[in-house]
Amino acid sequence: MIKSKMKLVTITAAMIIGCFFVCSCENDIREVQNLNKKRVSIEEGKKIESYMSEGGKVKAKLVSPLMLRYTDSGKVEFPKTLHVDFYNDSTKIDSKLSAKYGRYLENENKVFLRDSVVVFNMKGDTLYCKELYWDQGKSIFYTDKNVVVHQPTQLVYGKGMIADQNFQWFTINKPYNSYLDIPDSSFLGQ
């Protein structure tokens, strides 16, 4: 009799515990569906200092307080300003760039810059614009937006521009209202 009571208690306990397990296995359909959704993974870096080299020579140094890298798209954002120093072959600074926002597209090897974009070289030439693309593969800057180029002796306004990344040369697509200091050609013949 004691054995049968013990079996009855064991069976009853097993059934009660089993009921708890069955009740706790209920799934919310939304939670199950969310498991299949692709989640965007964002890597965050602070106080970024990155170097770009070509042929074993340092070509540029990028500094930014914040970098966000989206692992699913290969996009890297610099939402809180960025600054780049470009170096010549002697590793001396040739030109500088700054912007309030930058976005690097890894698969295209291009950087989109916007908001108070400024590029200047050591000769004193300065480019101001709202948007600018930097094609790292071709080592050029370009835009189809309004630009202002300030040089020691002239001021050039225009719409659209292309320049080398060291800002040693540039071409304005549609110049307007510009001040150009052209030497007097009458002295050339004497």
Side-chain angles (χ1 to χ4, degrees):
M1 180 112 174
I2 293 180
K3 279 187 176 183
S4 62
K5 282 187 179 182
M6 196 64 154
K7 279 184 179 180
L8 183 60
V9 169
T10 304
I11 292 172
T12 305
M15 287 177 47
I16 291 173
I17 291 173
C19 287
F20 283 121
F21 282 119
V22 169
C23 291
S24 67
C25 288
E26 185 177 323
N27 289 324
D28 183 4
I29 189 69
R30 286 173 288 190
E31 288 180 24
V32 173
Q33 290 172 340
N34 285 337
L35 290 174
N36 292 329
K37 287 185 180 176
K38 191 174 184 179
R39 292 203 173 121
V40 175
S41 177
I42 301 173
E43 297 172 346
E44 181 178 305
K46 294 182 179 179
K47 296 182 182 178
I48 300 300
E49 189 170 301
S50 177
Y51 292 87
M52 183 180 82
S53 64
E54 186 178 282
K57 294 182 180 181
V58 176
K59 290 296 187 180
K61 173 186 167 186
L62 179 142
V63 178
S64 179
L66 178 65
M67 179 185 84
L68 303 173
R69 183 173 181 271
Y70 299 86
T71 56
D72 66 328
S73 66
K75 180 175 73 170
V76 179
E77 282 187 322
F78 300 94
K80 293 187 176 183
T81 73
L82 70 136
H83 176 84
V84 181
D85 291 332
F86 294 97
Y87 298 96
N88 63 17
D89 289 336
S90 303
T91 63
K92 291 186 179 178
I93 295 176
D94 218 7
S95 60
K96 296 184 178 196
L97 173 146
S98 64
K100 289 185 178 178
Y101 173 85
R103 180 177 60 233
Y104 174 58
L105 303 170
E106 289 177 336
N107 54 353
E108 295 180 35
N109 205 23
K110 290 182 183 176
V111 179
F112 169 70
L113 304 158
R114 75 166 190 240
D115 299 332
S116 303
V117 180
V118 178
V119 180
F120 66 92
N121 62 23
M122 298 303 112
K123 296 186 307 184
D125 302 332
T126 306
L127 164 69
Y128 301 96
C129 60
K130 291 183 180 181
E131 289 183 5
L132 187 69
Y133 283 91
W134 171 23
D135 187 327
Q136 291 180 320
K138 296 178 181 177
S139 300
I140 60 168
F141 294 120
Y142 63 92
T143 185
D144 61 353
K145 306 295 184 195
N146 289 334
V147 297
V148 177
V149 177
H150 185 269
Q151 295 181 301
T153 59
Q154 55 192 13
L155 190 59
V156 183
Y157 295 90
K159 184 167 178 134
M161 180 221 60
I162 185 168
D164 71 321
Q165 78 180 17
N166 292 327
F167 203 53
Q168 298 302 310
W169 61 264
F170 65 90
T171 301
I172 305 285
N173 295 342
K174 297 176 184 172
Y176 60 88
N177 295 341
S178 300
Y179 167 75
L180 303 174
D181 187 12
I182 301 172
D184 187 1
S185 62
S186 64
F187 294 111
L188 295 176
Q190 297 177 0

